[in-house]
Amino acid sequence: MSAKEVKKKKARQIWLNVLPDDLWVKVDKGVSIWEALEHTDVDIDGDCGGMGTCGKCKVKVVSEVYPPSAEDEDVLDQDEIDQGIRLACQTKINQDMVIYTGEEEEEEEFLKILTTSHVVQDLYIPLSGIDPLVDKRLVILPPDIQQDGLSDMDAIKQVLGPEYNYLKAPLSCLRKLTRNLKETAFHGTAILNQQWLLDWQSESKAGRGYGLVFDLGTSTVVGKLLSLNDGTEVGVTSCLNSQSRHGADVISRLQYIKDNAKGVARMHKLLVGDLNRLTSHLLKTAGLTKQDIFVAVAAGNTVMQHFLLNLTPIGIAEAPFSPVVTDGLINKAIDVGLKLPDTAILYTLPMKSGYVGGDLLSVVLTSGVAEQKDEIYLGLDLGTNGEIFLGSGKRLLTCSAAAGPALEGAKISSGMIAKAGAIENVSIDGDGNISYRIIGNIKPRGICGSGLVDLIAVLLHLGIIDDEGLIRPPDESKNKELASRLVKRGSIYDFRIASAKESGTGKAVYLTQNDVRALQLAKAAIAAGVETLINEMGITVKDIDRVYLAGALGNYVDPLSTIRIGLLPQVDVQIIKSLGNAASQGAAMVLLSKKYWYKTTQLADFIEHVELSSAPGFNDNFIDHMSFPNQNTW
Ligand code: FES
């Protein structure tokens, strides 16, 4: 850049001061607050990926306030506008600016991300079945072999026997092999993965072998640390997926990478940053170092697995929804950006298609459906994308229904992720009085997915919402207390869950008519997906022997409520079971046993994917499932 250009550029730059961190960011005039904060540690929510529609990226402009934009006026209320609150994604910085982003919440402390899993009993891995992806073999190179003039590698091959005739080693291992052999007096442990020698270590050091498992959720990321010796789970931790600032669901994130040349690299960096933070937290808590980690296994939807590998998932955005790769891949963990030893490997699970990823394969593996000959299982991984399987070991169908983030509490007016202050459960007593269970037992701040499903089921039961999803006017309600919560906005009614006084934010918490519509769309997509698979399989609902729910919502939601709103078909509630965090459980099974590692590859071949957008009858099913069942199952 010439001196003149540098001078010009400097003149174009101004300061953004971010409180309460007192962070000073030099930015180009005209960029939005959102863009200015993109490469900082300041986390701003944003479900719509900066489109100005979700209202989650609010910041307070402390310096001179600009007039509100049209989007500000659409999304913010007058009180907020008067206080200087603006949407970060819509506010351009044209002169030095001071903003306040609010106190950072202790996210990890209060998040109720699902980290437990309920392994189907017959798939529990006994100690004798532990056969991790990485083997450790005690090897003694006898003096005659050492003096035979053989290369180090050939000497090791000879001692390991014909099983390892094709043994190779990465450069990182070869570079220190001679030194390591000498230091261990040719009596050490070979760290092996298939036909690869990953490392040569002293016997004592190699005894401490651990592996990591990552569940790459669209909203949250879970990390687990496991002992490779006995399969013990040493630690579990989780955090919000930092990519959320670029959209709450995969569709918004695909849009983001379409609009930004460096989008994939940014998504990759954010995800790897999350995994590195989780790893260092796990190691610190367990008193281990990164040298103790030999292997990591990651499972997520196809878009997340692509982002992890820094591959572009853009082909998944449009028909025919083609990913770059669907194979299970083994890579060096450091090549992916993980802060692990240069010998550690990362295995990413196979995927079936653009919308059926390693996470669903994990759920299939955990449920044990492929071992079933006589019983038919229905499984649903209820996250931002509803991934569904139906069948048995004879035939297994899968599909992915674009439910959107409503079931996770996103894009809902008072929606929030399951953390402190979220209404997670709603119930009624015999007199029709509603009560809520709130995470953290504090005043409500919003409602998460399981609370939303419960609330709508309860309001359907009480006749506040009709079968078409319309919130009825107060004069049609017999319950006076509930009728007083119905607030007219234009020609429609919203239901006030908590008044400004009752809420933890000082603002009333509502279920709006639009929220009900968003839930109807989500549940219709899933129910239509289930019905399409049932038809394709040529069975009826009565033929289903078990229903497994996985994912964050699947674990906490009341099975009765899912049937009441028509998310699940009318099955006997007793056959519905939760699988917990099946994605990480499946990945853990793969980590601890090669048997399951081979099995995921077989499963990816065995399962049949049904593309809903072209499946006959799907659109009609979807429209049929928009309304709520008029059968009251309570
Ligand atoms: Fe700004 Fe959604 S309104 S990110």
Side-chain angles (χ1 to χ4, degrees), residues 34 45-57 87 89:
W34 173 276
D45 283 347
D47 288 351
C48 66
M51 307 297 286
T53 52
C54 71
K56 299 262 164 113
C57 64
L87 296 176
C89 67

Side-chain angles (χ1 to χ4, degrees), residues 267-562:
M267 291 299 198
H268 167 72
K269 206 170 151 202
L270 287 168
L271 185 56
V272 166
D274 285 345
L275 301 191
N276 283 331
R277 265 192 304 282
L278 293 182
T279 303
S280 94
H281 186 54
L282 284 167
L283 291 175
K284 209 163 139 202
T285 315
L288 298 170
T289 70
K290 68 176 188 176
Q291 304 305 330
D292 294 312
I293 305 291
F294 291 108
V295 55
V297 176
N301 62 51
T302 308
V303 172
M304 281 305 134
Q305 288 195 200
H306 274 56
F307 281 143
L308 175 61
L309 299 175
N310 206 0
L311 298 173
T312 177
I314 199 69
I316 300 171
E318 283 162 18
F321 315 111
S322 308
V324 176
V325 65
T326 53
D327 298 330
L329 296 178
I330 292 187
N331 283 288
K332 282 174 71 176
I334 50 164
D335 289 347
V336 177
L338 296 179
K339 290 183 184 157
L340 291 178
D342 55 6
T343 48
I345 56 165
L346 168 73
Y347 178 60
T348 40
L349 256 62
M351 298 153 272
K352 180 66 190 176
S353 68
Y355 283 102
V356 173
D359 50 356
L360 187 67
L361 280 185
S362 275
V363 178
V364 168
L365 194 64
T366 312
S367 72
V369 58
E371 281 71 42
Q372 280 309 314
K373 292 286 170 253
D374 306 317
E375 295 200 330
I376 303 261
Y377 288 6
L378 168 67
L380 298 101
D381 189 358
L382 296 173
T384 310
N385 248 355
E387 293 175 341
I388 307 165
F389 71 78
L390 178 77
S392 66
K394 292 180 188 158
R395 189 181 182 204
L396 191 55
L397 303 177
T398 60
C399 70
S400 171
L407 291 172
E408 295 201 328
K411 294 207 173 170
I412 294 295
S413 60
S414 296
M416 63 186 286
I417 199 147
K419 64 178 179 181
I423 295 171
E424 61 163 348
N425 171 267
V426 183
S427 50
I428 31 171
D429 64 18
D431 299 325
N433 298 314
I434 296 188
S435 57
Y436 308 111
R437 194 173 69 224
I438 298 154
I439 300 174
N441 211 11
I442 56 175
K443 284 182 165 187
R445 300 173 68 88
I447 189 160
C448 65
S450 59
L452 182 71
V453 171
D454 269 357
L455 179 63
I456 292 185
V458 162
L459 295 181
L460 274 167
H461 178 72
L462 295 170
I464 301 283
I465 296 177
D466 69 17
D467 301 345
E468 295 304 314
L470 197 70
I471 301 181
R472 288 174 164 165
D475 55 4
E476 291 182 25
S477 172
K478 287 182 207 130
N479 184 322
K480 287 223 166 70
E481 199 278 321
L482 291 182
S484 71
R485 296 173 181 235
L486 294 166
V487 181
K488 193 166 189 184
R489 288 190 212 258
S491 55
I492 53 172
Y493 288 89
D494 295 340
F495 180 80
R496 193 180 56 243
I497 304 169
S499 66
K501 253 194 187 156
E502 293 162 338
S503 96
T505 58
K507 284 177 65 183
V509 180
Y510 282 101
L511 173 79
T512 67
Q513 182 63 66
N514 283 344
D515 297 339
V516 182
R517 296 292 180 224
L519 182 100
Q520 282 178 279
L521 286 169
K523 73 104 186 171
I526 289 173
V530 170
E531 190 168 348
T532 305
L533 293 192
I534 287 175
N535 294 340
E536 175 68 31
M537 188 65 89
I539 60 167
T540 67
V541 172
K542 287 199 177 73
D543 297 316
I544 298 171
D545 297 289
R546 291 197 208 185
V547 178
Y548 281 118
L549 297 179
L553 180 72
N555 196 48
Y556 296 113
V557 76
D558 181 342
L560 264 181
S561 300
T562 59

